[in-house]
Amino acid sequence: MTSIDDLFKSSGLPSKRKLDPVRDPTQIYKSAKLSSTPSSRAARVPPQPLSPEAGPAAPPDDDDEGDYGPSAPDDDLPDDDEEGRFFGGGISAQEKEILDFMEGEEGDGGPDKIDLAWMKKTALAFEKRITRNAELRARHEDEPARFIDSEADLDAGIKMLSILGENPGLYADFARLGCVASLVSLLAHENTDIAIDAVEIVGELTDEDVAATEEQWAALVDALLEADLLGLLVSNFSRLDETQEADRNGVYLALGVVENLCSRPDTTDLIGKDEELLKWLLARAEKAEKPVTQNKQYATEIIAILVQSSAANRRRLASLDAVDKLLQLVAAYRKRDPEKNGEEEEYMENLFEALTCIVDEPEGKAKLIDAEGVELCNIMFKEGKASKYSALRLLDHAASGPSGAAVCQKIVDAGGLKSMFTLFMKKNNGQTTEHLVGIFASMLRLLPADSAERVRTLAKFVEKDYEKTTKLVTLRRGYAARLAAVDDQISQEQKGASAEEREELADDWFSRRLNAGLFSLQTIDVILAWLIAEDDGARKKIQTLLADRDETVAVIKATIQEQIDGMDVDSEDSKDTREMLLTLAQFLS
């Protein structure tokens, strides 16, 4: 009789996983294996060996249909006899059937056209395999050997769907024929290998590398979500055992599907509504591991993706105490650096990215204060590790906006002025300077007039003969010089450009000005304007420093006026900022 091992040889299909035989017929079949042709998403996960758990299958009873595997070969049959074990090409009958289906071989050797007719034929075959497997599992629940062949057929049927990734024009038909719902239903299959194969195909079909239009992609994704893809993914997260290589790969593939779905903003919001998914991601990020594994890093990456473009997701995660949990995780890096260019470094960056996005919301700022996040950032400034710069960016975002006043007060109360101004007086890169001046600008704007916190902040710019104010003017000169050079280049380009070309190049020109330091120059000038308005001594010092280059406070006013002119007068978000800038401009007259 044919060996069970021969029944499950690689089919040669474009898929990463294939089923291995079950050694113990009394146990439910479960195995996983990676082939040599992984998809683009799973390419980051190296193929792993498996531990198959099965052996030879028992022969079918006389009253069964005898379709549980090919019959033993007849010794008298030639090698190329199509009723025997091997064909002339050296492949099994099952393998030839799969290759014929995938390559569309006809009697004349020509390939089938991948069109609606092919889709209907494929859909029918796929549904039959699902039904057949379900029937045999129900009839022979305690005898895996009786349904093992149908499991292999179903596995091959799932893999066959990968060809759709090259033909996204059929996505809508794939969904209309009910195949999407059937594919998603397999995520609940008793055999986790079948579930993982289904996840893998969903990942391939939704991958960003698929050349699908927005409408085609939406037709598929809408059908996937309607079939409760998210709920079934979360269920698989719970039942997969990551101590096993196959299951660990399954978790990775499932996270890849979530990432694919996040490429559409409204889908990102929908994913964020799944509280169970958010809780699992946070728990996976918190799971103690040494070293940090790929799945732990990936979980934090998904969290960061969910909050980058969705205010609703930021608020939801804040309500789940994500700020406190994430702060506890980044606290480990206040005294040590993660390994360079490894999973842990990306893991730390993802944690800070998620925190930075969440604290853009008022709820996130409040949670940061409650969880003593400002104090933690201050400690990181002093320690001087790699986390210092990420902590600085986090605090910049937390202190910004109308709801950042409490954070600004907390910075002063926690002793943050000394550590930040000490860092400010050192030689820094552009990003560090940008975040420092951003925090200073927020504090001068938001700290209440005559409050102790505001007085202490202003005193920092006055102490030691206005050395911090002098540093601001020095920085201003550098940014202004770089920006002037770029403006000259742009001016030359504008002279020979038509109105249409100017419109097309407007964004590029603005981007070049930003790269030259436009934002930092504007922020510094706002700080200088506040100092001029608040302190007569600072006004005189700034005027003297500007006079060294034959400049007056008019250059500061010009920068502020440019900000005012660039604002949308109808926007409620910019209304308060515009009024503040108009008031500051009056002090510069």
Side-chain angles (χ1 to χ4, degrees):
M1 181 175 178
T2 304
S3 167
I4 267 296
D5 288 338
D6 292 332
L7 295 180
F8 292 91
K9 285 182 178 295
S10 172
S11 61
L13 298 177
S15 175
K16 298 186 292 299
R17 303 178 56 78
K18 53 188 176 184
L19 297 175
D20 282 340
V22 179
R23 288 182 178 172
D24 184 359
T26 64
Q27 296 182 9
I28 297 299
Y29 166 77
K30 181 177 183 299
S31 65
K33 193 169 184 181
L34 303 176
S35 75
S36 61
T37 56
S39 70
S40 60
R41 170 64 61 198
R44 295 167 61 183
V45 182
Q48 302 292 340
L50 301 177
S51 299
E53 305 172 357
D61 293 338
D62 293 339
D63 59 348
D64 282 324
E65 298 176 17
D67 55 356
Y68 299 99
S71 59
D74 190 332
D75 292 339
D76 297 331
L77 290 174
D79 287 345
D80 60 352
D81 192 308
E82 295 201 3
E83 299 299 320
R85 173 66 183 85
F86 293 98
F87 293 89
I91 60 175
S92 68
Q94 184 185 30
E95 290 168 343
K96 184 175 187 302
E97 176 190 355
I98 294 171
L99 289 174
D100 286 349
F101 192 96
M102 288 297 296
E103 297 175 3
E105 291 185 356
E106 298 289 354
D108 59 0
D112 280 339
K113 183 179 180 181
I114 308 300
D115 56 8
L116 180 57
W118 176 90
M119 184 71 260
K120 290 180 178 179
K121 177 182 175 182
T122 303
L124 180 60
F126 183 53
E127 296 292 346
K128 284 182 177 179
R129 293 182 189 220
I130 294 175
T131 302
R132 178 65 173 162
N133 176 246
E135 289 175 350
L136 292 176
R137 269 188 167 271
R139 285 166 54 187
H140 307 288
E141 182 178 358
D142 298 324
E143 300 177 89
R146 299 295 184 86
F147 57 75
I148 198 171
D149 283 355
S150 70
E151 213 101 308
D153 289 341
L154 179 55
D155 175 64
I158 295 170
K159 290 180 171 70
M160 290 173 186
L161 298 177
S162 65
I163 198 171
L164 282 171
E166 300 175 5
N167 300 272
L170 293 173
Y171 278 4
D173 297 314
F174 183 53
R176 180 176 55 80
L177 292 170
C179 285
V180 171
S182 298
L183 177 61
V184 172
S185 71
L186 292 177
L187 270 68
H189 198 279
E190 293 90 338
N191 181 351
T192 55
D193 287 304
I194 295 294
I196 291 172
D197 281 343
V199 170
E200 181 179 0
I201 290 299
V202 172
E204 290 180 3
L205 299 184
T206 56
D207 193 272
E208 61 181 7
D209 291 335
V210 174
T213 65
E214 185 175 345
E215 292 75 14
Q216 292 165 350
W217 194 86
L220 174 64
V221 170
D222 290 344
L224 289 169
L225 295 174
E226 187 176 346
D228 193 27
L229 173 65
L230 292 178
L232 290 171
L233 284 175
V234 173
S235 297
N236 276 287
F237 285 140
S238 302
R239 70 167 172 160
L240 293 177
D241 179 8
E242 289 193 64
T243 61
Q244 304 297 318
E245 291 292 340
D247 285 7
R248 184 156 58 246
N249 183 54
V251 171
Y252 179 86
L253 293 171
L255 288 169
V257 170
V258 177
E259 181 182 8
N260 292 348
L261 298 179
C262 288
S263 62
R264 192 173 67 176
D266 58 340
T267 307
T268 303
D269 285 340
L270 184 62
I271 292 172
K273 291 180 181 179
D274 193 317
E275 191 169 300
E276 291 304 312
L277 174 59
L278 297 182
K279 288 180 178 178
W280 184 89
L281 290 170
L282 288 170
R284 187 63 187 85
E286 291 179 293
K287 185 177 179 180
E289 290 180 350
K290 205 168 185 179
V292 172
T293 64
Q294 191 175 43
N295 283 349
K296 182 173 182 175
Q297 177 272 317
Y298 208 174
T300 59
E301 183 177 336
I302 298 300
I303 295 173
I305 291 172
L306 287 172
V307 297
Q308 281 171 347
S309 60
S310 172
N313 287 347
R314 294 193 283 269
R315 292 191 291 269
R316 292 188 192 105
L317 278 162
S319 69
L320 295 174
D321 289 329
V323 172
D324 184 41
K325 294 174 182 178
L326 296 176
L327 283 172
Q328 291 183 42
L329 296 176
V330 299
Y333 301 105
R334 68 185 185 276
K335 291 186 177 181
R336 72 175 182 88
D337 290 340
E339 183 180 349
K340 276 285 187 183
N341 302 319
E343 300 289 350
E344 189 175 10
E345 183 178 38
E346 191 171 351
Y347 167 74
M348 184 192 79
E349 291 172 355
N350 289 335
L351 292 173
F352 272 111
E353 177 66 24
L355 279 167
T356 300
C357 292
I358 294 172
V359 300
D360 279 336
E361 302 300 319
E363 296 87 344
K365 298 179 195 296
K367 292 289 185 179
L368 183 74
I369 294 173
D370 294 342
E372 299 182 348
V374 175
E375 289 86 344
L376 176 61
C377 289
N378 192 34
I379 292 173
M380 289 178 170
F381 295 158
K382 296 176 181 177
E383 294 295 338
K385 298 297 181 181
S387 60
K388 170 175 63 178
Y389 304 103
S390 297
L392 185 62
R393 178 171 177 258
L394 170 61
L395 209 55
D396 184 14
H397 280 252
S400 65
S403 57
V407 176
C408 292
Q409 289 179 309
K410 192 66 175 179
I411 291 173
V412 179
D413 295 340
L417 288 177
K418 181 178 179 181
S419 55
M420 284 194 302
F421 276 98
T422 298
L423 180 60
F424 176 67
M425 293 306 294
K426 295 179 180 179
K427 186 176 181 180
N428 298 303
N429 59 34
Q431 288 189 336
T432 300
T433 300
E434 179 180 323
H435 293 311
L436 283 168
V437 298
I439 295 172
F440 299 156
S442 295
M443 296 176 75
L444 290 174
R445 176 182 178 181
L446 299 174
L447 289 174
D450 300 326
S451 66
E453 293 84 2
R454 187 177 189 84
V455 171
R456 290 173 62 185
T457 301
L458 288 169
K460 281 292 179 181
F461 291 99
V462 173
E463 67 180 14
K464 297 182 180 179
D465 193 25
Y466 296 95
E467 66 172 4
K468 281 81 174 180
T469 302
T470 302
K471 177 70 177 286
L472 280 174
V473 175
T474 301
L475 287 171
R476 187 197 187 282
R477 288 171 181 165
Y479 285 119
R482 289 196 294 273
L483 185 61
V486 171
D487 284 342
D488 287 342
Q489 294 174 0
I490 293 174
S491 179
Q492 292 298 319
E493 294 172 15
Q494 288 175 334
K495 289 179 180 179
S498 64
E500 183 178 346
E501 289 173 334
R502 289 189 180 192
E503 185 175 350
E504 292 176 354
L505 293 171
D507 289 341
D508 177 64
W509 288 334
F510 183 66
S511 177
R512 285 161 58 184
R513 297 189 77 214
L514 285 175
N515 291 335
L518 174 63
F519 180 75
S520 294
L521 175 64
Q522 291 176 340
T523 307
I524 289 172
D525 279 354
V526 168
I527 296 173
L528 293 174
W530 273 114
L531 295 176
I532 290 171
E534 293 270 357
D535 185 80
D536 288 338
R539 170 189 283 270
K540 293 177 182 178
K541 184 67 176 181
I542 293 169
Q543 288 174 332
T544 301
L545 293 169
L546 290 174
D548 291 342
R549 297 292 180 89
D550 295 327
E551 295 175 330
T552 67
V553 294
V555 295
I556 300 176
K557 183 177 181 180
T559 304
I560 291 178
Q561 188 61 50
E562 182 183 5
Q563 295 182 62
I564 296 171
D565 295 339
M567 288 184 171
D568 182 0
V569 295
D570 297 324
S571 172
E572 286 295 325
D573 294 337
S574 62
K575 183 178 179 180
D576 290 341
T577 301
R578 190 170 187 274
E579 290 179 355
M580 177 200 73
L581 293 176
L582 287 170
T583 302
L584 289 177
Q586 293 177 5
F587 285 97
L588 301 172
S589 299

